[in-house]
Amino acid sequence: RTPMAIQNKFLRVTFDPDTGLMSGLSNLKTKQTIKLTQNFYWYNASDGNNSASDQPSGAYIFRPNSSTPFLISKTAQTESVQRPGVQEVRQRFAPWVSQVVRLYAHSRAVELEWTVGPLPIDDNLGKEVITRLDTSIKTSQYFYTGLKRPRDAAEEQSEPIAGNYYPINSRAFIKDDVDQLTVVTDRSQGGSSIYNGSLEIMLHRRLLYDDVRGVAEPLNETSDVFPEGLVVRGRLLLFLDRPASAADTYRPLAQKVVLQPLLTFTDGDLQPNT
Amino acid sequence: QSRSCGYESCHPTKHNMLNVHLVPHTHDDVGWLKTVDQYYYGDRNDIQHAGVQYILDSVVDQLLKNPDRRFIYVETAFFYRWWKQQSAAMQQTVRQLVNEGRLEFVNGGWCMSDEATTHYSAVIDQMTMGLRFLNETFGPCGRPRVAWHIDPFGHAREHASMFAQMGFDGFFFGRVDYQDRSRRMVKKEQELLWRASDSLTPPSADLFTGILPNGYNPPEGFCWDQSCSDPPIRDDPDLEDYNVDEVVEQFLTVAHNQSLVYKTNHIIMTMGSDFQYENANLWYKNLDKLIRYVNALQANG
């Protein structure tokens, strides 16, 4: 069963018991709460057979053939694990999409450990998978990747989704006057805020056509380990804060992700001089 | 050993005329369709014809043939591989070319890094690795003055900030949004001072930035690499298809048109492209003639 909530001394994460999805996030210190729904979607990659342009989506170019991504699942099957140091809600959205929502006892951020792949291509559709966070934060057309990113900045916006994607190296956030939701990533990803109050991050892509920029092959990653298609696992760290103080949290958090401890192991007893 | 590298080695210009700066270069991807070592050796030319070891051999040979010739080199990952295979005599020859500003390093990092997905700390690491090699090998004359990111797919402000803080005087690139470029061409804003930081006190993160005229390729009709098929300059009237007048006129037209979208009477032409100069003679022989015949017009006014 999905727990109603997991919480530590900093954060409270609530879940919708009917869907198994996250439903809200609170900062217990600042006593602020937002509605927050998180789910996984995929954009159907353009194959290039299009009246506007014959440009397919590929290793370089993101060109969805529709601005509306497909929802992978309305609900998640969940399983909950509660331990003294950590609380987890394990969510399964599809055979190829799952996630662990994890709150460590001393963490200021909730961890979303996502596992995506192998992306199915038996329908002959290239897929570009995102996770999207839809919140009650009243943003206007801006989101932030370090720089302030306006929606539809180009004079003539020919691609309402792709033309609003920006590189995210370590963090992205959306905010209004009182609430800021920040996401710290563990790798560089693309992302955007397509709707007010919404933040999306691209996690994995699998494409069937080359995008004609020289590489001359579709981005279709397989290997001996992943013969059915690459499976990727990563983490997003999420937290809620006041806009004025959020940087005090995300800067050290982003540094901790990059400069993380290196664990080494040795067999047997530790000698005093080892 | 004489030293006149850096700004001292610049060719004279004419202040009352349009000056076209021909910049011979090779864009050597540190791994793309082939691996870095396949590109270095020229292995697997069935995938892409490219062999950096031959490019460097050939360029050095051609630079020695005419002291007016210049070449810029960018990717230290390749240059390092080549350098350690050279004889002491060749290394001394190359040092001389560098000291006289005939071979100039630009950018100078281990590679030309991506700006979208790179972490700033990794960018500093790779730049340091390349610049350290150049510094230890060539001293002050090996120090690049400008950053050269002709191919990355978009440009990050943090990159410009880092380049400014590394002491680069300028930054050149080829890829910008097509609508942005159109507007900048109309307004002559393809050269600018990029203020790359909100927090650093100016001018610590201010960097002169130039958007190159044709990506990083030569103007149409003026590619004389072995990989191109533009007609060579045929300057012997006794032979067939003499074309000097035609080429000069075409060049003046291209230069004039380009000058209309830049502010000063100095414009750049990037004479090179992906893995070019494997047989540098083709380029330099024609460039020497181009320079000679176009400048000859000045004598007549």
Side-chain angles (χ1 to χ4, degrees):
Chain A
R1 296 235 4 116
T2 313
M4 292 296 289
I6 54 177
Q7 91 175 55
N8 66 11
K9 58 191 169 186
F10 298 111
L11 292 177
R12 177 179 169 83
V13 186
T14 55
F15 293 84
D16 181 334
D18 294 330
T19 61
L21 303 177
M22 286 172 67
S23 60
L25 184 62
S26 304
N27 182 324
L28 302 173
K29 300 287 183 189
T30 57
K31 297 187 169 46
Q32 58 188 131
T33 295
I34 56 165
K35 286 186 195 161
L36 168 64
T37 307
Q38 182 241 355
N39 212 330
F40 295 87
Y41 304 78
W42 58 276
Y43 287 105
N44 180 12
S46 177
D47 58 8
N49 295 312
N50 183 290
S51 57
S53 154
D54 57 6
Q55 176 66 59
S57 207
Y60 297 84
I61 288 173
F62 171 36
R63 184 157 191 253
N65 80 347
S66 160
S67 294
T68 309
F70 292 97
L71 186 58
I72 288 164
S73 174
K74 283 183 196 168
T75 60
Q77 293 172 22
T78 62
E79 187 186 337
S80 160
V81 176
Q82 311 289 317
R83 304 230 196 289
V86 65
Q87 304 165 71
E88 286 183 4
V89 175
R90 300 174 182 175
Q91 301 170 308
R92 181 186 158 90
F93 294 83
W96 51 282
V97 178
S98 62
Q99 178 175 255
V100 181
V101 180
R102 190 178 282 133
L103 193 56
Y104 289 101
H106 303 290
S107 174
R108 291 174 180 275
V110 54
E111 176 182 296
L112 308 182
E113 187 182 55
W114 49 271
T115 303
V116 177
L119 306 192
I121 49 169
D122 44 8
D123 54 5
N124 291 316
L125 301 176
K127 295 180 181 62
E128 320 205 34
V129 175
I130 61 163
T131 185
R132 198 171 82 201
L133 303 152
D134 293 304
T135 76
S136 54
I137 297 174
K138 295 175 185 62
T139 65
S140 52
Q141 79 269 38
Y142 296 107
F143 91 111
Y144 301 78
T145 60
L147 287 174
K148 188 174 182 176
R149 303 298 197 181
R151 187 151 67 237
D152 293 329
E155 290 161 40
E156 277 183 61
Q157 183 56 270
S158 59
E159 290 284 335
I161 306 298
N164 282 306
Y165 262 65
Y166 290 92
I168 299 169
N169 298 118
S170 69
R171 70 212 179 231
F173 54 85
I174 51 174
K175 65 178 183 179
D176 58 21
D177 292 341
V178 290
D179 296 316
Q180 174 168 330
L181 177 72
T182 309
V183 180
V184 171
T185 66
D186 64 343
R187 69 199 66 196
S188 293
Q189 292 165 319
S192 186
S193 175
I194 300 295
Y195 311 102
N196 289 342
S198 174
L199 180 64
E200 64 184 63
I201 294 175
M202 191 168 286
L203 304 176
H204 194 10
R205 314 170 66 222
R206 188 175 191 187
L207 304 164
L208 305 176
Y209 300 95
D210 174 58
D211 52 4
V212 209
R213 290 297 178 277
V215 78
E217 59 182 47
L219 181 70
N220 186 357
E221 295 165 292
T222 58
S223 70
D224 291 343
V225 182
F226 296 110
E228 302 303 315
L230 179 64
V231 180
V232 189
R233 176 171 292 163
R235 290 173 181 167
L236 300 172
L237 299 176
L238 233 65
F239 69 94
L240 176 68
D241 209 329
R242 298 297 180 200
S245 55
D248 294 341
T249 303
Y250 75 64
R251 285 183 180 279
L253 203 55
Q255 289 292 347
K256 278 182 192 171
V257 170
V258 174
L259 306 171
Q260 52 191 294
L262 177 65
L263 305 180
T264 60
F265 300 90
T266 182
D267 201 10
D269 296 328
L270 204 60
Q271 301 301 316
N273 59 351
T274 46
Chain B
Q1 197 171 69
S2 68
R3 277 190 189 176
S4 57
C5 60
Y7 293 117
E8 284 174 38
S9 64
C10 293
H11 282 301
T13 59
K14 299 227 166 166
H15 69 94
N16 58 347
M17 302 191 96
L18 178 65
N19 292 267
V20 180
H21 298 259
L22 302 174
V23 178
H25 77 104
T26 178
H27 176 57
D28 296 349
D29 296 287
V30 185
W32 185 42
L33 306 180
K34 305 201 288 191
T35 67
V36 56
D37 293 340
Q38 287 168 350
Y39 274 126
Y40 176 72
Y41 280 122
D43 191 14
R44 297 301 309 273
N45 274 353
D46 55 316
I47 297 172
Q48 182 184 10
H49 188 103
V52 175
Q53 59 170 343
Y54 309 124
I55 293 174
L56 290 166
D57 288 342
S58 174
V59 162
V60 167
D61 190 45
Q62 289 300 314
L63 290 179
L64 293 171
K65 290 207 157 85
N66 178 347
D68 288 337
R69 290 175 177 175
R70 297 285 184 270
F71 196 76
I72 57 168
Y73 200 72
V74 179
E75 295 86 2
T76 306
F78 284 124
F79 190 84
Y80 166 80
R81 281 166 165 75
W82 182 82
W83 178 258
K84 65 180 184 176
Q85 294 197 326
Q86 303 310 304
S87 66
M90 177 53 92
Q91 290 185 346
Q92 194 48 40
T93 301
V94 173
R95 274 197 196 92
Q96 187 65 29
L97 291 175
V98 174
N99 286 340
E100 293 172 6
R102 294 154 68 181
L103 175 61
E104 180 184 352
F105 296 100
V106 299
N107 216 63
W110 205 247
C111 67
M112 184 186 299
S113 55
D114 176 58
E115 301 188 39
T117 61
T118 43
H119 196 271
Y120 76 92
S121 60
V123 174
I124 292 170
D125 282 353
Q126 73 84 8
M127 287 302 297
T128 304
M129 190 161 161
L131 294 173
R132 181 180 287 164
F133 170 80
L134 295 177
N135 187 48
E136 286 168 356
T137 309
F138 300 106
C141 286
R143 179 191 158 188
R145 303 289 162 165
V146 299
W148 186 259
H149 267 208
I150 57 179
D151 196 31
F153 286 66
H155 301 279
R157 190 164 82 153
E158 188 60 31
H159 246 86
S161 175
M162 286 187 284
F163 285 146
Q165 291 176 75
M166 289 173 196
F168 285 102
D169 296 330
F171 182 26
F172 292 89
F173 54 63
R175 295 188 190 274
V176 292
D177 173 80
Y178 68 99
Q179 293 177 10
D180 189 21
R181 174 183 284 269
S182 303
R183 193 182 51 227
R184 287 179 181 282
M185 284 170 73
V186 172
K187 294 169 127 181
K188 295 192 178 187
E189 288 180 353
Q190 293 196 92
E191 290 157 318
L192 57 135
L193 189 70
W194 194 351
R195 179 149 292 169
S197 173
D198 274 339
S199 46
L200 294 171
T201 309
S204 331
D206 291 352
L207 190 58
F208 173 83
T209 301
I211 298 169
L212 297 169
N214 185 31
Y216 53 87
N217 298 302
E220 201 179 326
F222 294 89
C223 182
W224 287 306
D225 191 67
Q226 67 178 11
S227 66
C228 300
S229 48
D230 289 340
I233 297 180
R234 293 157 309 212
D235 53 348
D236 185 343
D238 293 341
L239 302 185
E240 278 184 48
D241 301 325
Y242 177 88
N243 69 345
V244 171
D245 302 335
E246 196 182 314
V247 170
V248 167
E249 191 187 328
Q250 194 188 346
F251 184 80
L252 292 178
T253 304
V254 167
H256 174 72
N257 290 341
Q258 191 181 320
S259 74
L260 299 176
V261 293
Y262 287 90
K263 270 199 175 109
T264 72
N265 61 335
H266 293 270
I267 59 173
I268 183 173
M269 289 187 190
T270 45
M271 306 310 267
S273 194
D274 295 7
F275 296 98
Q276 292 196 356
Y277 289 80
E278 192 172 307
N279 182 354
N281 182 42
L282 276 69
W283 259 116
Y284 281 113
K285 182 164 246 176
N286 285 286
L287 284 174
D288 284 351
K289 289 182 186 178
L290 180 72
I291 293 166
R292 189 187 334 140
Y293 293 123
V294 171
N295 283 346
L297 289 185
Q298 293 172 22
N300 312 327

